[in-house]
Amino acid sequence: MSKFIIEGGKKLKGEVEISGSKNAALPLLTASILTDGEVVLHNIPDLSDIRVLIELLEKLGKNITFEKGTVSIKGGDKISTEAPYDLVNKMRASIIVLGPLLAKYNKARVSLPGGCAFGPRPIDLHLKGLEKLGAKITFDHGYVDADTKGLKGNSMVLLGKFGSSVLGTDNIMMAATLAEGETVIQGAACEPECTDLAQMLVKMGADIKGIGTSTLKIRGVGRLNGTEYKVIPDRIETGTFISTALATGGEVNITNCNPWHVQKPLEILKESGAEIHTEDNKIYLESSENLRSFSIKTRPYPGFPTDLQAIFAVLACRAKGSSSLTEGIYPDRFGYVPELIRMGAKIEREESTIVVCGGDRLNGTDVKALDLRAGASLVIAGLIAEGNTYVHNIEHIDRGYEGFEKKLRGLGAEIRRE
Ligand code: EPU
């Protein structure tokens, strides 16, 4: 197990370049299952989650190379349709091989992903959607077995208790591209990552209308072709660097990002007194001197992203006054709170809301990353704390931030891995 050792108190300064989006890249990689042609993807971040999915696709029978941010995927004739526990267990997003395998090969066997560090992560919407398309689903010794005599288009509302599902929408959208007739998905997720997938599928020959909206109309086609495509910048990494720069009181230019994809977080910060300017694919963070408390409720896009909730809680420790952060997607995504309290943060939790009383300095100590975003939030806490912070279990952070400590060091942070 590795850890980060962080010497707090440095104001970050300089320029940082955002990598390709992890959560967009994962479904784009699995879309390669839908074609026998070659798929070439650019701007793929080198992350452990990406490596796990590549390993899974190789196990399914694809030939893959990954060099300097470009992944090339070939093959498909000798495919296996089983996604085993040892890989799905490492990354629950592996469930998005289910829709494409079923659409292309009429069957799939995928290990059930189970829960995660921030509560239950059901897949009922994925299964409901596939059943609507004519799949027969059974459960066998911890696996989902799906088969069909040929998927057929249908209409469905894909909404759960907490709204739309990102990977659920991806799974059904991919399955519907090769189903017979028209599929209409109401309640589709509108996250930029889903839009990116839809756009790539269209480039492969799919017929999808309503891209970027909550109603998708997909007319099935006989086959999809290979393609070449560039993944969008990572909006969660962008939000993480925005929060890091402002929390340390630094001046940072973020490049190769899409400011539109972080519009809601930027709006909240500007209203709270942060000086921020945007231009095309750049964000300039100029001052957080007058940052006041803020109020956030996480919601599906274009609302405030749940993946930035923990990250903004650290920023709230720095803002003047009491901020409130309410989780509208994963009510229990607060595992990092006791760790921040150990660093001296003043946080109270009531059900799915935390109130952060900001203004005081945090103190460095040993803390543990429980998941990816919680881990990143502890790194930011370490950067603004007095003394040294030791963030343990940083394998979680490697799942989703490309070259995190290198990028932070480039901005003047004192952080090293041990
Ligand atoms: N849900 C259901 N049934 C389902 C699927 C989801 O009830 O079948 C519920 C979930 O429990 C949750 C809500 O619907 O309350 C939304 O979950 P969603 O399905 O959208 O999550 P996901 O697609 O599994 C992706 C991201 C997550 C991100 C969420 C929400 C990927 C690989 N993962 O997960 O990212 O938090 O959308 O935006 O795209 C991360 O990157 O750290 C991360 C966890």
Side-chain angles (χ1 to χ4, degrees), residues 177-195:
T177 57
L178 293 179
E180 193 189 314
E182 190 180 67
T183 298
V184 181
I185 308 175
Q186 279 187 297
C190 304
E191 267 66 9
E193 294 78 16
C194 292
T195 301

Side-chain angles (χ1 to χ4, degrees), residues 196-212:
D196 210 30
L197 173 64
Q199 276 162 352
M200 171 169 148
L201 291 169
V202 167
K203 235 186 139 194
M204 292 168 77
D207 180 354
I208 308 177
K209 301 274 182 305
I211 295 175

